[in-house]
Amino acid sequence: MQHHQNPSQTPFSQDIRIKGVFSTTAPQSVGFGHTKRKVIQNVLVYAVEEEDGKISIQSLNAHFMPTGTVKMISRDNLLKNYLPEPDVYISKVYPAMRKVAKAVARGERHLRNNETFSAEIEFKTALRIDEENIRATFGLGLSYLARGDTQRGGIVFRRLVRLNAAFEPGHKHMFNEFGISLRKNKMYPQALKYYARARSISGDDENLFFNMARTFQEKGRVSLALKFVSKALGINPNLIEAQKFKIFLENRLAKKNGGNS
């Protein structure tokens, strides 16, 4: 079994990365009207030292999973204003994170085997503990779309479009796969909105443009498809699929224009 460093044992020297649960006190308002008063409450956060030495902190939800907005603070701020809570990390947070990771891994394995109902159960298990888990959200949507459940797939699509983190470079293969599934289910407006969202966050990408071209072609918008496949080849001229697709589109357009003359 892999040994995980106990945060209470770290001397916080500059060569050791900080990772664990910390607590701090924060004033909170309780009560209403004339009974309203300020109380000092203990707040738990999950802290991870990034490569640049800054500390990212996130609140813990009711299931002890890091959730919500990531806030960056300095190492000095952490050590001055926060207390390490190694017991909470070891007994609550680490087991919760492990449970989510295992459920997601099982779900993805079921999905690869086309066992979409079993996959759905696993992804929902993960999302009950960590409702913002990107991989579980993608997985749930893919489970629905794999069996043609476009109504539930559409619900997950709307949720994903709101999550900025879904379109980070590390999730590129997942958002490409999800967009392809939307297209295959003939959810063309959703697929195009989804790709536009991905592009606004992750920037121009040859696979993104190629997938947009495929979507436009299936919608019957051949000229637009040609425009986007050309953009894909502008980024990566060696994309063989795009080269073949461009020839196919040019032939279709030539036939269409020839038929109109």
Side-chain angles (χ1 to χ4, degrees):
M1 189 173 134
Q2 193 179 359
H3 175 69
H4 289 270
Q5 187 172 276
N6 184 331
S8 66
Q9 294 169 347
T10 62
F12 300 126
S13 62
Q14 289 303 316
D15 59 341
I16 294 175
R17 288 261 186 99
I18 294 170
K19 179 181 178 182
V21 176
F22 289 76
S23 65
T24 188
T25 52
Q28 302 279 338
S29 295
V30 295
F32 298 96
H34 63 278
T35 64
K36 192 174 180 180
R37 66 190 193 284
K38 289 261 185 190
V39 295
I40 301 297
Q41 285 195 332
N42 231 25
V43 177
L44 292 172
V45 298
Y46 179 64
V48 179
E49 187 169 2
E50 306 296 337
E51 283 184 20
D52 61 2
K54 291 273 189 189
I55 310 288
S56 68
I57 61 168
Q58 261 184 309
S59 299
L60 298 179
N61 68 13
H63 302 285
F64 292 92
M65 279 297 295
T67 190
T69 310
V70 176
K71 184 179 163 190
M72 303 303 293
I73 62 170
S74 68
R75 188 184 174 111
D76 287 346
N77 183 341
L78 181 80
L79 300 183
K80 184 180 172 187
N81 298 310
Y82 294 77
L83 288 171
E85 301 282 357
D87 292 347
V88 178
Y89 177 68
I90 291 161
S91 67
K92 302 281 188 187
V93 176
Y94 177 68
M97 292 172 90
R98 193 171 165 80
K99 188 176 179 183
V100 167
K102 283 187 164 186
V104 170
R106 285 194 301 268
E108 288 175 343
R109 192 164 59 246
H110 284 306
L111 197 53
R112 281 195 299 274
N113 295 332
N114 207 29
E115 299 157 354
T116 59
F117 287 101
S118 299
E120 179 188 346
I121 290 165
E122 295 294 354
F123 292 131
K124 282 182 171 175
T125 297
L127 289 166
R128 271 195 290 274
I129 303 167
D130 180 12
E131 61 183 26
E132 292 179 3
N133 189 284
I134 300 297
R135 281 173 62 190
T137 307
F138 270 117
L140 186 62
L142 288 168
S143 303
Y144 292 141
L145 292 173
R147 58 176 186 258
D149 189 340
T150 54
Q151 189 177 354
R152 286 182 183 169
I155 292 167
V156 177
F157 151 76
R158 286 192 291 277
R159 185 175 178 180
L160 274 170
V161 165
R162 288 197 298 268
L163 292 173
N164 284 359
F167 301 100
E168 287 174 359
H171 300 117
K172 191 165 281 188
H173 70 285
M174 283 190 285
F175 74 59
N176 272 331
E177 195 181 340
F178 192 77
I180 290 165
S181 293
L182 288 170
R183 190 194 86 230
K184 285 181 177 174
N185 279 276
K186 300 189 178 357
M187 297 168 73
Y188 303 129
Q190 291 93 330
L192 290 169
K193 184 177 179 183
Y194 178 81
Y195 285 134
R197 184 87 175 96
R199 189 181 169 195
S200 73
I201 293 169
S202 64
D204 292 348
D205 172 81
E206 66 266 36
N207 295 306
L208 205 53
F209 284 140
F210 178 67
N211 287 327
M212 289 175 87
R214 291 284 300 268
T215 308
F216 278 121
Q217 185 260 325
E218 288 185 27
K219 271 190 83 177
R221 308 289 297 277
V222 182
S223 297
L224 272 172
L226 191 56
K227 177 185 169 185
F228 279 94
V229 81
S230 299
K231 280 176 181 276
L233 288 165
I235 296 171
N236 182 1
N238 301 318
L239 201 62
I240 306 288
E241 269 189 293
Q243 290 172 1
K244 291 177 181 173
F245 193 49
K246 189 182 180 194
I247 294 165
F248 165 77
L249 291 170
E250 284 171 340
N251 289 339
R252 271 200 66 181
L253 214 53
K255 276 183 191 172
K256 187 180 171 185
N257 292 337
N260 292 337
S261 58

